């Protein structure tokens, strides 16, 4: 859609062509939104009867025009009355493009095409195209009117469980982080009001002030500004973030409960973001159960909650591209996981979705070297939990040589020791994961195994039945599940055994192997279990993963 700029009361404002007044004579040439000269945001008209439905859709979000199922005339009326903002989606400066939705500046990730909407050559961003095409003629629409305010709740948490000492320490740190963020926001609001109230005792006279050099006459504004700057300096050191470094099975979700409870008591918007949709599906019913009076929505590709409002949002990190300056309390679960750890776009989305003074909690069992370096330098606050909630040590993997598994697979064969391991699981009627390095390997392994074990199933990221298969496995309807690393995190099944087929493959990094090993022994009823790395030559990643697990056990007080 093309836009023009019009002069109204000596101010230049944007106007889509379908909303152009019939008597207009001073409009600029029609063009794409991103090519317009700068225009102003009309002030808020508090007497305007705004659309509650539009507010519900846009509050805290930045959406493409084509994502908004409302007439353009209604949207434009809200813009003219200060309730909606038009934002350029792509910025061009000295021949360099920036996508203002995903932050992309890579030249090779932009392309041009002859656009039917604006009838011009239009540049679009290829990096975030799976979330809808952002092009120069596609404005990003945000809500600038009255935000939705959630009421402060009294103790919304309904959970009777008990935290371990390690969990309790982390939980208290998270609550402290919420309180620190609240103090910063309070100082900031008061400073913004420019209050100039002298802070001196009422009984101190002018002559006493002159005689007593220890009495200082500061305004409230000056004092708060001083406090705020000191807090900000401290907060910069801590990056307004807390890293919770907890072993797999430490009970990271339960650690969050009190911090989330405090944020909800304050009427804050809460986000739990995770790189993978499987984790969203697992977390949603657990969170709804312990916060029954709170509006909870779940966002992922194809989610039925898309477009809905909720005070507590559980989302994949990709969906955060549609939010802006919305969340007060942000949790990034499995911060080291693919694709979040590899894609700057997702980090940008998480950052943009949070308010400037938001509390941000990073959760992981395997922080990358950059996060570990920040902790060592003291620029990132952290709490470490080296012991599982049930107090038992982490199961340590064993390694077994399985020969040239690739060559055997090309002949339609599975290494004998892996077959024997699977046979044992079948005899024990014990559920098991068999991790494989790729979809190509999975598609060969599953049919071979099914000739002997018909109940074996396979699942990978592109499997259309992925969600149903994972749920069947959780329910105990599938005994052996062959999977890629897509299920290395977030799926908890009691009394499970795990084997890694081709553990020497490059895809099995130290982090991946630690996470895979963490599937075992998570239940208090079954705190131990079998985890085997089958290989055609030990790798550093395998040995580092075993060392990592042993070191955590040592820190947890186990020899």
């Amino acid at each position: 859609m093309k836009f023009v700029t019009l002069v109204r009361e000596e101010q230049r404002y944007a106007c889509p062509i379908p909303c152009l007044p019939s008597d207009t004579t001073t409009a600029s040439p029609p063009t794409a939104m991103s090519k317009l000269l700068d225009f102003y945001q009309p002030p808020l008209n508090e007497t305007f009867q705004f659309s509650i439905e539009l507010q519900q859709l846009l509050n805290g979000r930045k959406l493409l025009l084509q994502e908004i199922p409302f007439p353009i005339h209604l949207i434009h009326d809200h813009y003219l009355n200060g309730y909606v903002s038009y934002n350029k989606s792509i910025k061009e400066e000295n021949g360099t493009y920036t996508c203002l939705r995903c932050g992309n500046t890579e030249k090779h990730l932009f392309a041009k095409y002859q656009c039917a909407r604006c009838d011009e050559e239009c540049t679009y961003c290829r990096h975030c195209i799976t979330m809808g095409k952002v092009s120069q003629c596609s404005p990003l629409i945000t809500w600038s009117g009255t935000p939705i305010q959630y009421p402060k709740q009294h103790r919304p948490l309904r959970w009777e469980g008990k935290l371990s000492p390690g969990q309790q320490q982390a939980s208290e740190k998270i609550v402290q982080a919420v309180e620190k963020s609240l103090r910063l926001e309070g100082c900031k609001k008061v400073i913004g009001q420019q209050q100039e109230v002298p802070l001196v005792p009422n009984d101190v006279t002018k002559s006493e002030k002159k005689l007593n050099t220890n009495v200082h006459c500061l305004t409230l504004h000056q004092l708060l500004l001083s406090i705020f700057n000191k807090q900000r300096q401290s907060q910069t050191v801590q990056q307004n973030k807390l890293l919770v470094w907890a072993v797999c099975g430490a009970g990271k979700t339960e650690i969050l409960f009190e911090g989330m409870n405090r944020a909800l008591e304050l009427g804050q918007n809460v986000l739990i973001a995770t790189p993978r949709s499987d984790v969203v599906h697992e977390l949603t019913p657990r969170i709804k159960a312990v916060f029954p009076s709170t509006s909870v929505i779940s966002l992922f590709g194809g989610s039925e909650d898309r477009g809905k409002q909720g005070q507590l949002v559980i989302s994949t990190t990709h969906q955060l591209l549609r939010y802006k300056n919305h969340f007060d309390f942000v949790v990034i679960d499995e911060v080291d996981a693919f694709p979040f750890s590899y894609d700057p776009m997702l980090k940008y989305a998480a950052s943009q979705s949070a308010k400037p003074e938001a509390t941000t909690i990073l959760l992981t069992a395997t922080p990358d070297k950059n996060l570990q370096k920040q902790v060592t330098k003291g620029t990132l606050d952290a709490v470490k939990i080296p012991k599982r909630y049930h107090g038992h040590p982490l199961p340590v993997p064993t390694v077994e040589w399985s020969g040239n598994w690739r060559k055997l697979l090309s002949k339609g064969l599975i290494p004998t020791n892996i077959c024997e391991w699977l046979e044992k699981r079948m005899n024990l009627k014990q559920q098991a994961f068999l991790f494989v390095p790729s979809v190509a390997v999975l598609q060969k392994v599953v049919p071979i195994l099914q000739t002997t074990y018909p109940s074996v199933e396979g699942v990978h990221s592109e499997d259309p039945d992925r969600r149903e298969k994972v749920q069947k496995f959780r329910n105990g309807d599938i005994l052996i599940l062959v999977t890629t690393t897509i299920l290395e995190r977030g799926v908890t099944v009691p009394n499970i055994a795990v084997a890694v087929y081709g553990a020497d493959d490059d895809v099995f990094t130290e982090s991946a192997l630690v996470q895979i090993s963490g599937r075992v022994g998570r239940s208090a009823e079954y705190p131990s279990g079998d985890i085997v790395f089958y290989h055609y030559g030990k790798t550093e990643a395998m040995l580092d993963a075993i060392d990592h697990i042993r070191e955590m056990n040592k820190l947890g007080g186990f020899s």
Side-chain angles (χ1 to χ4, degrees):
M1 182 180 296
K2 287 187 175 183
F3 280 73
V4 298
T5 54
L6 298 175
V7 176
R8 176 186 179 188
E9 296 178 358
E10 299 184 355
Q11 294 284 0
R12 188 168 53 235
Y13 69 99
C15 181
I17 292 298
C19 301
L20 196 62
S22 58
D23 59 348
T24 297
T25 58
T26 58
S28 65
T31 188
M33 163 62 72
S34 294
K35 297 178 182 178
L36 286 179
L37 295 174
D38 289 340
F39 50 88
Y40 89 118
Q41 171 66 27
L44 194 68
N45 176 9
E46 295 184 359
T47 64
F48 178 71
Q49 296 296 309
F50 65 86
S51 164
I52 294 175
E53 291 80 9
L54 187 60
Q55 180 198 40
Q56 286 280 335
L57 178 67
L58 287 178
N59 183 67
R61 294 188 173 105
K62 52 179 180 181
L63 300 181
L64 297 169
L65 195 57
Q66 56 266 34
E67 294 178 302
I68 304 174
F70 289 89
I72 186 62
H73 287 85
L74 183 142
I75 296 170
H76 190 59
D77 280 347
H78 280 71
Y79 163 72
L80 292 176
N81 286 279
Y83 283 81
V84 158
S85 295
Y86 293 137
N87 304 275
K88 297 179 180 182
S89 55
I90 291 181
K91 181 175 73 174
E92 182 182 6
E93 193 169 30
N94 300 324
T96 300
Y97 292 102
T98 301
C99 175
L100 298 177
R101 181 172 71 175
C102 75
N104 170 43
T105 57
E106 297 290 332
K107 187 175 181 179
H108 70 282
L109 291 175
F110 288 97
K112 295 179 184 290
Y113 72 115
Q114 191 62 34
C115 179
R117 282 198 297 250
C118 66
D119 197 29
E120 294 181 21
E121 187 178 66
C122 210
T123 298
Y124 70 96
C125 177
R126 295 170 53 225
H127 195 41
C128 58
I129 195 168
T130 57
M131 302 295 289
K133 184 185 283 187
V134 171
S135 61
Q136 287 178 305
C137 67
S138 304
L140 288 168
I141 311 297
T142 56
W143 183 257
S144 51
T146 306
I148 294 173
Q149 298 285 349
Y150 290 99
K152 295 181 179 181
Q153 301 186 50
H154 176 69
R155 190 65 185 171
L157 177 63
R158 297 289 182 270
W159 186 66
E160 302 301 327
K162 185 177 180 180
L163 299 176
S164 69
Q167 286 178 306
Q168 186 63 40
Q169 180 189 9
S171 175
E172 290 172 1
K173 290 271 285 187
I174 293 172
V175 173
Q176 289 168 13
V178 175
E179 298 291 353
K180 179 188 283 188
S181 180
L182 182 66
R183 289 196 300 272
L184 280 171
E185 185 63 25
C187 282
K188 186 178 178 182
K189 285 180 179 178
V190 176
I191 290 166
Q193 295 170 6
Q194 295 291 311
Q195 296 189 37
E196 296 292 338
V197 182
L199 292 183
V200 294
N202 292 331
D203 57 347
V204 177
T205 65
K206 290 182 180 181
S207 59
E208 286 175 323
K209 290 176 194 174
K210 292 179 182 178
L211 292 172
N212 189 350
T213 56
N214 293 322
V215 177
H216 299 279
C217 184
L218 292 176
T219 65
L220 176 60
H221 177 265
Q222 290 169 331
L223 180 62
L224 286 173
L225 184 60
S226 174
I227 295 171
F228 179 76
N229 287 335
K230 287 179 180 178
Q231 290 272 19
R232 275 303 274 158
Q233 186 177 8
S234 170
Q235 199 75 339
T236 299
V237 171
Q238 303 303 332
Q239 298 181 9
N240 208 20
K241 296 177 182 177
L242 172 67
L243 172 66
V244 178
W245 182 350
V247 296
C248 297
K252 291 190 285 291
T253 304
E254 290 77 10
I255 291 166
L256 298 171
F257 287 168
E258 287 295 340
M260 294 166 64
N261 177 76
R262 183 62 183 135
L264 293 170
E265 285 182 333
L266 296 167
Q268 294 185 349
N269 295 309
V270 175
L271 167 70
I272 302 177
T274 179
R276 298 185 178 178
S277 60
D278 300 283
V279 182
V280 173
H281 297 312
E282 179 163 9
L283 280 177
T284 300
R286 294 174 64 188
I287 298 300
K288 285 183 175 180
V290 296
F291 291 103
S293 63
T294 302
S295 55
V296 180
I297 63 170
S298 177
L299 299 177
F300 51 89
S303 169
E304 294 178 357
D305 288 344
R306 181 177 170 183
K308 296 180 181 178
Q309 285 288 335
Q311 187 177 6
L312 202 164
V313 177
I314 306 168
S315 174
T316 58
T317 47
H318 278 85
Q319 298 298 322
L320 301 185
L321 287 167
R322 295 193 173 102
Y323 282 93
K324 184 174 182 180
N325 294 339
H326 182 62
F327 298 104
D328 306 277
F329 181 87
V330 175
V331 177
I332 309 295
D333 190 24
E334 304 293 3
V335 70
D336 63 302
F338 179 86
F340 186 82
S341 58
Y342 292 89
D343 192 344
M345 174 185 79
L346 299 180
K347 294 183 175 68
Y348 177 87
S351 175
Q352 290 286 298
S353 71
K355 292 179 180 176
E357 304 300 332
T359 304
T360 302
I361 310 299
L362 308 177
L363 295 182
T364 182
T366 49
D368 60 27
K369 287 182 171 56
N370 181 45
L371 285 175
Q372 293 185 42
K373 187 176 180 181
Q374 291 179 53
V375 173
T376 302
K377 283 185 171 182
T379 57
L380 177 62
D381 197 8
V383 58
K384 187 180 288 188
I385 309 175
K387 188 187 293 187
R388 285 181 161 174
Y389 74 96
H390 52 52
H392 293 270
L394 300 166
V396 179
T398 58
V399 295
E400 284 192 33
W401 188 80
S402 59
N404 191 339
W405 56 272
R406 288 187 178 87
K407 186 175 181 180
L408 287 170
L409 188 60
S410 68
K411 296 178 181 180
L413 300 172
I414 306 292
T416 303
N417 53 355
I418 296 179
C419 291
E420 291 173 348
W421 186 87
L422 290 170
E423 183 73 30
K424 184 177 180 180
R425 309 280 79 77
M426 289 290 186
N427 292 336
L428 292 171
K429 291 184 168 49
Q430 181 187 25
Q431 285 186 282
F433 277 131
L434 178 63
F435 283 90
V436 297
S438 66
V439 176
V441 171
L442 182 144
Q443 290 172 338
K444 292 179 181 178
V445 167
V446 171
I448 296 170
L449 292 177
Q450 285 176 336
T451 59
T452 307
Y453 312 112
S455 62
V456 168
E457 287 285 358
V459 67
H460 55 86
S461 60
E462 301 302 320
D463 188 338
D465 300 322
R466 166 181 163 187
R467 188 175 176 183
E468 290 75 14
K469 288 179 181 178
V470 170
Q471 190 56 52
K472 283 183 177 180
F473 189 69
R474 285 196 180 106
N475 296 341
D477 299 329
I478 296 174
L479 199 61
I480 306 293
L481 188 61
V482 183
T483 179
T484 58
T485 55
I486 192 66
L487 294 185
E488 73 182 34
R489 306 161 189 259
V491 178
T492 300
V493 176
N495 194 26
I496 195 171
V498 172
V500 182
Y501 177 106
D504 52 295
D505 191 275
D506 290 343
V507 75
F508 293 117
T509 60
E510 175 193 345
S511 172
L513 291 171
V514 169
Q515 292 286 349
I516 287 169
S517 302
R519 301 307 96 206
V520 176
R522 298 171 73 93
S523 166
E525 291 77 22
Y526 304 97
S528 60
D530 200 25
I531 166 69
V532 187
F533 297 162
Y534 290 102
H535 65 88
Y536 184 48
K538 295 177 185 177
T539 63
E540 285 189 19
M542 292 165 58
L543 300 177
D544 289 345
I546 293 170
D547 287 345
H548 181 124
I549 292 167
R550 285 176 173 159
E551 180 62 25
M552 280 299 192
N553 280 338
K554 185 177 178 181
L555 290 172
F558 303 105
S559 56

